Amino acid sequence: MSVATSLLVLLLCSNKASTTVSAFGARHSTLGLAASSRCAPTWNYQWNERRLPSPATRVSMATDKGGSNDFNSDDLVTKRRKRVDIGYAASAISWGVVSAVIFSRAVRSTANGSATAASLGVAGSLLSRRLFAMVLSYIERGAAVHDRLGSDTYRRMNVALLGHSVLGLAASAVLHSSSASVTRLVALVAAASFLTAVPAFKGWWYGVRGWDTAKKGGAAAMTSDLVKIAKDSLAGCFKCSNFKALLYLAVTWFAMSFKLTELYKIGQFAFGNGERIGTAVASSIIRFSDFSLLSCVSYTLKDAADRGRLEGTTFIELNLASAVIFIALAANLATAGIGIRLVSAAVGASAFTAGNGFVSIWKKNKK
């Protein structure tokens, strides 16, 4: 057999084998497609139309099925509570650090003889107001742990803390824009303000909508609650139900007078420029935010007096913290040479709030 004949036979055999294999593969491919088409779902699956269910829908699905998975509502609520708890704790710690820095500066200036009575008065008042923010974060943390963020008291204080934090960030930005360097204290105040703004907003959010955010509304619900808080507070500033509430109302207006004074200064400084003016504006913004927080707490105590709830732990702590603020304010006013009337009013507010705090402790322990 010649070489050409051998090659021809080999080619014919290979063509026949490939035809057989192709037919076998096509037969089995058809069977596989038919089987898969019988097992596949009848609905169309299109990638561009695929959508994952929302978190609220996943929680609802998990609850309806009665199963336990990653989207179980109890697990979701527990995680949210833990994050808010950690946020409030970080806020309290950060304000504690700021207070420690202010105190250490006052001690150093006293040791080297550069401190004056006026500067120490300012430092003491500033220190007390930073500690005040720390106490409020601690109180809100307790409210989160005991599921009380939905109360009017804690929603109001969360809004006040949020405003205080935003103004603290604004003051830090003004100082940064008016000066080439940012001191450690300014950076710490900015960090503490941010660490407070986050849990304050979340605490307010969950207080309005619930831990599982089951209540609908979103931003509209938050806006409605903010308007309600403003209306109720404004109306409450002009009425009271008993004599003790009347005295707390006087304390509230006393704190608000300092707040309005600082707001007037900000308006005056707003038309200036330069580093000195920027520093003055930032200082007024910080004082305005501090006295806004104090006004909110004073009104909260007045509201508690209206309802006869001053023996609660929260209101005892607010009374004692307010007493520290007012006595430090009295010392600041006295060292600055302010009139005796304002100093006496601050001392009286401190004695009144401290006295009510200790009386509430005595009555609570007596029960």
Side-chain angles (χ1 to χ4, degrees):
M1 183 181 295
S2 65
V3 175
T5 305
S6 301
L7 290 175
L8 180 62
V9 172
L10 182 61
L11 180 61
L12 290 174
C13 292
S14 63
N15 287 336
K16 184 178 181 180
S18 62
T19 302
T20 303
V21 170
S22 300
F24 178 80
R27 178 173 177 271
H28 282 270
S29 301
T30 304
L31 291 175
L33 289 173
S36 62
S37 65
R38 289 194 300 270
C39 297
T42 56
W43 44 266
N44 292 327
Y45 188 86
Q46 298 181 2
W47 285 102
N48 60 344
E49 296 181 358
R50 186 181 182 187
R51 295 290 186 272
L52 290 174
S54 64
T57 305
R58 294 198 295 266
V59 171
S60 177
M61 291 167 58
T63 305
D64 293 340
K65 293 179 181 179
S68 175
N69 53 35
D70 292 338
F71 302 115
N72 184 274
S73 59
D74 292 337
D75 294 340
L76 186 64
V77 168
T78 300
K79 290 177 181 178
R80 285 175 174 173
R81 284 187 175 184
K82 185 176 182 180
R83 288 195 293 267
V84 172
D85 183 9
I86 294 174
Y88 281 126
S91 170
I93 292 172
S94 63
W95 286 119
V97 172
V98 172
S99 301
V101 172
I102 295 173
F103 180 76
S104 64
R105 286 190 172 189
V107 171
R108 285 200 303 269
S109 62
T110 303
N112 58 31
S114 60
T116 62
S119 65
L120 290 178
V122 171
S125 181
L126 183 61
L127 173 62
S128 66
R129 298 197 299 268
R130 302 286 75 75
L131 291 173
F132 195 57
M134 181 184 73
V135 170
L136 291 188
S137 297
Y138 168 79
I139 290 174
E140 289 290 354
R141 179 176 179 266
V145 171
H146 295 97
D147 198 15
R148 296 295 308 278
L149 290 177
S151 169
D152 290 345
T153 295
Y154 300 107
R155 294 202 328 273
R156 186 189 303 116
M157 288 199 300
N158 266 323
V159 171
L161 272 175
L162 180 60
H164 181 267
S165 303
V166 172
L167 289 172
L169 290 171
S172 301
V174 170
L175 285 173
H176 178 65
S177 62
S178 62
S179 178
S181 61
V182 177
T183 63
R184 181 177 61 176
L185 182 59
V186 173
L188 286 174
V189 169
S193 298
F194 176 78
L195 289 175
T196 303
V198 174
F201 178 78
K202 284 189 173 183
W204 178 36
W205 175 272
Y206 294 134
V208 173
R209 304 194 63 203
W211 286 109
D212 55 356
T213 61
K215 298 178 182 177
K216 299 183 182 296
M222 305 301 291
T223 304
S224 177
D225 187 66
L226 183 61
V227 172
K228 180 181 181 299
I229 290 174
K231 285 184 176 180
D232 292 346
S233 300
L234 183 61
C237 285
F238 296 96
K239 62 181 181 180
C240 53
S241 60
N242 53 65
F243 182 69
K244 185 176 288 187
L246 178 62
L247 293 178
Y248 273 114
L249 184 58
V251 172
T252 302
W253 278 107
F254 178 65
M256 287 182 64
S257 67
F258 288 94
K259 169 185 172 181
L260 296 176
T261 299
E262 296 303 329
L263 183 62
Y264 175 73
K265 289 181 180 179
I266 293 172
Q268 285 185 318
F269 289 135
F271 298 99
N273 51 37
E275 181 177 351
R276 184 176 180 182
I277 298 300
T279 303
V281 171
S283 300
S284 290
I285 291 174
I286 290 175
R287 287 193 295 269
F288 173 78
S289 66
D290 291 342
F291 287 120
S292 297
L293 201 60
L294 181 59
S295 301
C296 174
V297 170
S298 299
Y299 175 80
T300 299
L301 290 170
K302 178 263 175 189
D303 181 64
D306 277 328
R307 297 180 288 118
R309 297 290 305 277
L310 287 175
E311 296 175 18
T313 302
T314 293
F315 304 114
I316 292 174
E317 292 169 344
L318 290 178
N319 262 318
L320 298 178
S322 298
V324 174
I325 288 280
F326 282 119
I327 197 63
L329 176 62
N332 184 17
L333 295 173
T335 55
I338 305 297
I340 191 63
R341 292 182 180 179
L342 282 178
V343 175
S344 300
V347 171
S350 177
F352 175 68
T353 51
N356 279 306
F358 288 121
V359 168
S360 297
I361 292 174
W362 177 74
K363 288 183 177 179
K364 189 174 182 179
N365 293 333
K366 190 177 178 181
K367 291 181 179 180

